[in-house]
Amino acid sequence: MMTFVGWILSSWLAADLIAGFWHWLEDRYFDITWPFIGQYIAKPNELHHEQPTAFLFQTYWKRNWTTIVPAAIAAMLFPSGWLVFLFVSQANEIHAWAHSKGKVSTWVSVLQETGFLQSPLHHGHHHRSPFEIKYCVMSNWLNPLLDHYQVWRALERFVAMATGIEPKPVARQ
């Protein structure tokens, strides 16, 4: 039987993986011309990659509704995973803290230093060439493994083979 701490840690890592998968989809496949998703997810995501700190000046709700709403729906559909979805609902906020560079509370800073929360240094690698790594935004723990085994590239090959859809080219500053 899983311990309480094990349940929290496994829920945390599952949430980080789910948020990372969503982030990968946004970066590599979502298009600003798509209805709804284009305007509310793809366009802000592209803006974020052009101006990484712009979303820090939004309200909590505007910055986080795209994770809170789907996570709440998922928690209703899969009530046994409620803690995973509670954590997922805060992925954008944790991501924002990684961009806040020292302008966070002491407890956030301490958790960033441990890697439990993603640190600015770790996340900064996502915003540098080749722009195709470190999609998980909640912790420092999964990205090294996922990047080492090129999980995202393998998923892109699978999607291309199964559907013929290629990921968007990465063209950032």
Side-chain angles (χ1 to χ4, degrees), residues 48-67:
H48 171 67
H49 284 99
E50 292 168 8
Q51 300 173 24
T53 60
F55 78 139
L56 298 177
F57 304 103
Q58 297 174 335
T59 65
Y60 172 84
W61 178 250
K62 183 160 173 112
R63 184 170 49 246
N64 293 289
W65 76 271
T66 58
T67 53

Side-chain angles (χ1 to χ4, degrees), residues 35-47:
F36 190 80
I37 287 175
Q39 179 181 352
Y40 294 107
I41 298 172
K43 191 173 180 178
N45 186 55
E46 284 193 11
L47 175 64

Side-chain angles (χ1 to χ4, degrees), residues 27-28 130-132 135 168-172:
D27 280 11
R28 302 298 281 151
F131 305 105
E132 298 174 336
Y135 289 104
K168 296 186 305 189
V170 177
R172 298 194 186 124

